[in-house]
Amino acid sequence: MSAPSPAYGLWSLVIINSLVFIIFAFSFTKPKSKRDWRSFGAFSAFIVALFTEMYGFPLTIYLLSGWLTARIPGFDPFSHDAGHLLEDLFGWRGNPHFGPFHMLSNLFIIAGFFILSNAWRVLYQAQRRHTLATTGPYAKTRHPQYAGFVMIMFGFLLQWPTIITVVMFPILVFMYIRLARIEEREAYAEFGERYAEYARTVPAFFPHR
């Protein structure tokens, strides 16, 4: 197998892109507690793993190159476009950046950061006043910040799935659900019946239709 093309081995892009998304997410979440840092750290690890394969070393493509080459006519494992595996597997033959999965990916990522941004503003004000966050995104779901993280990660999975991130994704979703349950117990202890009423009318992660 020949050396990777210039599309890979671009470690400066790995660092720059990872920092951009991590700092962007940090500006919305402002982690303070150990639990906040744990959830933010897990998200950061996902982002680093993603861009490492996107621009550094495409481990997934190399491991699956034999199967992909046999399954997809004209598949070039050394092309950067080959990393858009869902576009390849479903027969999209145009520019993968304009393919259906990539476009859907952009919607999830943008929506995720939009939810994070709005949720953080509401939560920050509520924490300053020592009140319950129930407006903005919190009027639709009880844990919009975690929903935002999951949407961003799912968007990146649609755009550039890798073995590592596919394995990490359900683990991180489970972790965020667990953290949400812990926060709910703390909210019950602090706000009592007020939070109980809020929880009865507002779903945890998926808004009512």
Side-chain angles (χ1 to χ4, degrees), residues 63-128:
L63 291 177
L64 302 179
S65 60
W67 180 80
L68 291 169
T69 302
R71 182 181 177 87
I72 304 172
F75 181 82
D76 179 8
F78 301 108
S79 167
H80 184 76
D81 288 349
H84 299 273
L85 293 178
L86 291 179
E87 309 289 357
D88 295 326
L89 291 173
F90 283 85
W92 178 262
R93 294 293 176 258
N95 186 330
H97 297 91
F98 296 100
F101 287 102
H102 198 289
M103 301 299 287
L104 187 61
S105 162
N106 290 337
L107 290 177
F108 271 101
I109 293 170
I110 292 171
F113 275 112
F114 178 79
I115 291 172
L116 270 183
S117 174
N118 284 277
W120 165 244
R121 283 198 292 267
V122 173
L123 184 61
Y124 176 73
Q125 293 299 326
Q127 289 176 339
R128 288 187 60 187

Side-chain angles (χ1 to χ4, degrees), residues 187-203:
Y188 275 114
E190 182 176 358
F191 298 104
E193 182 57 31
R194 185 180 177 194
Y195 187 81
E197 177 62 27
Y198 171 68
R200 281 193 291 268
T201 56
V202 178

Side-chain angles (χ1 to χ4, degrees), residues 2 5 13 17 21 35-36 45 56 62 79 84 95 98 105 117-118 120 141 143 167 180 198 201 206:
S2 60
S5 72
L13 283 180
N17 279 276
F21 281 94
R35 185 168 58 234
D36 294 339
Y62 289 159
S79 167
H84 299 273
N95 186 330
F98 296 100
S105 162
S117 174
N118 284 277
W120 165 244
T141 64
H143 305 286
V167 171
Y198 171 68
T201 56
F206 300 99

